[in-house]
Amino acid sequence: MPDYLDDLRLAHVLADAADAATMDRFKALDLKVETKPDMTPVSEADKAAEELIRGHLQRARPRDAVLGEEYGVEGTGPRRWVIDPIDGTKNYVRGVPVWATLISLMEAGETGFQPVVGVVSAPALGRRWWAAQGHGAFAGRSLSSATRLRVSRVSEISDASFAYSSLSGWEEQGRLDGFLDLTREVWRTRAYGDFWPYMMVAEGSVDLCAEPELSLWDMAATAIVVTEAGGSFTGLDGRPGPHSGNAAASNGLLHDELLGYLNQRY
């Protein structure tokens, strides 16, 4: 079984380069922001960070394919790097420090492409999380200065902390009633949003999180960090991995209950 550690080291190099580029433009008064066809914002920093990562990959892994939020897919083959240059662009353009570069390597297998390496780097928070298949999940400032991540052992829904992004998406999908029922049963709810709740699940500081609509680049890196920390990451349909267009993550002990609430009136 491949150990993917060389790929993980490369992902850290890519994240270092992206961090330097994104932090250089964070809170810049002349930052240029456009609106994409789906009405979501994209900044010059999103584009520059993805171009930078693609350039590094072209030199270091010329045979690998690349899929990025801003520039689509390039190349073919059994290995594909998946990039979200800035997850949390709306935060980024407003000066809120909760945003991250997401970098994942996915490899083709019997069940399709699955993430085998993931790095989530949030430089404005001074935090980075990462994982490689079979090697566990970690957080820290570098590979040599890291703490191993483990999900919580909370086993009762009434003791659980549940994180989400917003209410509107649940309502649009007709899942709001089940979502609200869940919020009434858990111990605590907070709307941290974007990548952060998944990293909190991996750290054990949050027990449950879910989002009703996501893209592959939003999930590939976070999925392997959660699972390598001992948690569960599926779609709302229960399908493992980042392929369902939405996500539910948990410490594993509460996953069936989480899905039950979010699907109960759907």
Side-chain angles (χ1 to χ4, degrees), residues 129-142:
W129 304 261
W130 63 87
Q133 187 180 81
H135 290 277
F138 297 84
R141 293 191 174 273
S142 67

Side-chain angles (χ1 to χ4, degrees), residues 16-39:
D16 288 343
D19 285 356
T22 52
M23 286 300 291
D24 184 59
R25 299 298 292 153
F26 185 47
K27 296 187 178 181
L29 296 178
D30 60 343
L31 182 72
K32 295 178 181 177
V33 182
E34 303 170 3
T35 301
K36 293 191 285 189
D38 64 359
M39 302 309 292

Side-chain angles (χ1 to χ4, degrees), residues 24-259:
D24 184 59
R25 299 298 292 153
F26 185 47
K27 296 187 178 181
L29 296 178
D30 60 343
L31 182 72
K32 295 178 181 177
V33 182
E34 303 170 3
T35 301
K36 293 191 285 189
D38 64 359
M39 302 309 292
T40 60
V42 57
S43 74
E44 63 182 83
D46 291 80
K47 294 179 178 180
E50 185 169 323
E51 289 171 349
L52 189 63
I53 293 170
R54 285 175 178 269
H56 276 280
L57 285 171
Q58 195 168 39
R59 294 187 292 273
R61 296 289 190 275
R63 296 183 180 179
D64 292 353
V66 181
L67 169 65
E69 179 177 12
E70 307 308 335
Y71 295 105
V73 66
E74 184 178 359
T76 59
R79 288 164 49 97
R80 177 182 294 175
W81 293 85
V82 179
I83 304 158
D84 188 343
I86 299 179
D87 182 55
T89 297
K90 292 177 182 177
N91 283 343
Y92 183 89
V93 301
R94 290 297 302 271
V96 179
V98 183
W99 51 270
T101 296
L102 312 183
I103 300 168
S104 178
L105 172 64
M106 301 186 74
E107 195 164 74
E110 294 180 0
T111 57
F113 280 91
Q114 296 296 336
V116 294
V117 167
V119 172
V120 176
S121 190
L125 294 176
R127 302 293 308 278
R128 184 178 291 185
W129 304 261
W130 63 87
Q133 187 180 81
H135 290 277
F138 297 84
R141 293 191 174 273
S142 67
L143 281 165
S144 60
S145 176
T147 301
R148 185 153 190 166
L149 303 179
R150 297 193 186 281
V151 296
S152 75
R153 302 301 297 167
V154 173
S155 59
E156 298 292 335
I157 203 78
S158 58
D159 296 329
S161 179
F162 171 52
Y164 61 98
S165 287
S166 67
L167 296 179
S168 58
W170 300 103
E171 186 170 29
E172 289 165 6
Q173 289 196 5
R175 297 179 187 265
L176 185 59
D177 287 342
F179 173 89
L180 292 175
D181 284 348
L182 174 61
T183 67
R184 295 181 185 109
E185 293 299 320
V186 296
W187 166 64
R188 191 170 190 251
T189 63
R190 284 294 183 273
Y192 299 107
D194 300 306
F195 69 94
W196 207 6
Y198 302 96
M199 299 302 94
M200 290 182 181
V201 168
E203 292 176 337
S205 53
V206 163
D207 312 299
L208 311 164
C209 70
E211 287 182 273
E213 187 174 2
L214 292 169
S215 298
L216 179 60
W217 47 76
D218 297 313
M219 298 183 280
T222 60
I224 188 167
V225 174
V226 169
T227 55
E228 284 291 322
S232 296
F233 189 107
T234 72
L236 297 176
D237 57 5
R239 180 184 177 191
H243 300 289
S244 300
N246 46 48
S250 77
N251 63 4
L253 300 175
L254 298 169
H255 206 76
D256 288 345
E257 285 185 86
L258 172 63
L259 294 179

